[in-house]
Amino acid sequence: MTKRDRRTYTDEFKAQMVKLYESGKPKHEIMKEYDLTPTAFNTWIKRSQSSGSFKEKDNLSPEELELIKLRKENQKLKMENDILK
């Protein structure tokens, strides 16, 4: 599957799949029936259980958030430095 062929799923669909799993339906049956990859499905389960959100930004640790902030600040300072040169 190429990047152009990548499928996207709504949060409602992801929540429904996680609910099926939590109600006792085996993972392999859900993945086969809905043609899901194990990586995607396991990620949905993990994110749902940790924060209740399927968005990546809602599932970042405080350290990861700080790192993103510092990288943005560093990039801004580099640009300002280049302008002053």
Side-chain angles (χ1 to χ4, degrees), residues 69-83:
K69 178 183 168 203
L70 291 173
R71 284 182 177 162
K72 285 180 183 179
E73 183 179 346
N74 190 27
Q75 183 66 27
K76 178 184 170 205
L77 291 172
K78 281 181 181 180
M79 287 174 40
E80 289 175 357
N81 214 8
D82 285 342
I83 292 170

Side-chain angles (χ1 to χ4, degrees), residues 59-70:
N59 288 284
L60 296 175
S61 69
E63 292 83 14
E64 291 170 320
L65 292 171
E66 183 179 8
L67 181 60
I68 291 170
K69 178 183 168 203
L70 291 173

Side-chain angles (χ1 to χ4, degrees), residues 2 6 9 19 30 32 37 45-46 52 60 67 82 84:
T2 64
R6 181 173 282 179
Y9 301 96
K19 284 181 186 174
I30 297 170
K32 184 177 180 181
T37 63
I45 293 169
K46 179 181 160 198
L60 296 175
L67 181 60
D82 285 342
L84 292 174

Side-chain angles (χ1 to χ4, degrees), residues 9 14 21 23 33 39 42-43 46 49 53 60 73 82:
Y9 301 96
K14 294 174 187 179
Y21 167 71
S23 69
E33 185 175 340
T39 304
N42 289 329
T43 300
K46 179 181 160 198
Q49 292 172 344
S53 173
L60 296 175
E73 183 179 346
D82 285 342

Side-chain angles (χ1 to χ4, degrees), residues 21-35:
Y21 167 71
E22 289 174 345
S23 69
K25 189 166 185 174
K27 279 185 187 181
H28 70 277
E29 286 183 19
I30 297 170
M31 289 185 292
K32 184 177 180 181
E33 185 175 340
Y34 294 96
D35 192 29

